[in-house]
Amino acid sequence: MNRNSVTQLVGKYIAIWNESDDGTRKALVDEVFAPNATYTDPNITAEGAAAIGEYIAAAQKNFTGMLFTYGAVLTHHDAVHFAWEVGPTGGAPVVSGFDVATLEGDRISRLYGFFNGY
């Protein structure tokens, strides 16, 4: 997968966190994550695309009215790293961190999320 494709994939991943429509969010999860993917952050380990989607939907309730954004995407081989933050549009972020993911073809197979200051 080339760098532009990986950056587009990260953009779709961040779009999942910003999507409030359940059907659209599920379609994005299925497009971004391999069916047997795992997602791990300090709060949870979710196994499978469906469980990842459920976690994101539940977590979104903590960020109502806020926007997730991401920074530079670094990639090599089948790995990707990027910083992210969430906060009110035009305001200071309330949470920030970075994710490290491994890819399987054109989808994420494993994602590890880290929160700054956690």
Side-chain angles (χ1 to χ4, degrees), residues 28-76:
L28 281 168
V29 167
D30 291 343
E31 183 179 349
V32 168
F33 287 96
N36 60 345
T38 59
Y39 172 98
T40 304
D41 73 19
N43 296 321
I44 192 169
T45 295
E47 297 184 12
I52 294 167
E54 290 170 11
Y55 170 67
I56 293 172
Q60 280 183 328
K61 294 175 183 162
N62 297 320
F63 303 109
T64 302
M66 297 190 196
L67 182 67
F68 282 81
T69 59
Y70 66 98
V73 176
L74 306 175
T75 184
H76 65 79

Side-chain angles (χ1 to χ4, degrees), residues 9-114:
L9 182 66
V10 170
K12 289 177 184 178
Y13 166 71
I14 294 298
I16 294 168
W17 285 94
N18 289 322
E19 182 55 59
S20 60
D21 179 77
D22 291 339
T24 303
R25 186 176 51 254
K26 182 186 179 321
L28 281 168
V29 167
D30 291 343
E31 183 179 349
V32 168
F33 287 96
N36 60 345
T38 59
Y39 172 98
T40 304
D41 73 19
N43 296 321
I44 192 169
T45 295
E47 297 184 12
I52 294 167
E54 290 170 11
Y55 170 67
I56 293 172
Q60 280 183 328
K61 294 175 183 162
N62 297 320
F63 303 109
T64 302
M66 297 190 196
L67 182 67
F68 282 81
T69 59
Y70 66 98
V73 176
L74 306 175
T75 184
H76 65 79
H77 298 86
D78 65 346
V80 61
H81 171 280
F82 56 94
W84 54 266
E85 59 186 27
V86 60
T89 301
V94 296
V95 179
S96 64
F98 66 91
D99 289 359
V100 175
T102 55
L103 305 176
E104 182 178 296
D106 59 353
R107 293 198 247 173
I108 295 171
S109 61
R110 284 183 166 65
L111 187 139
Y112 299 93
F114 297 83

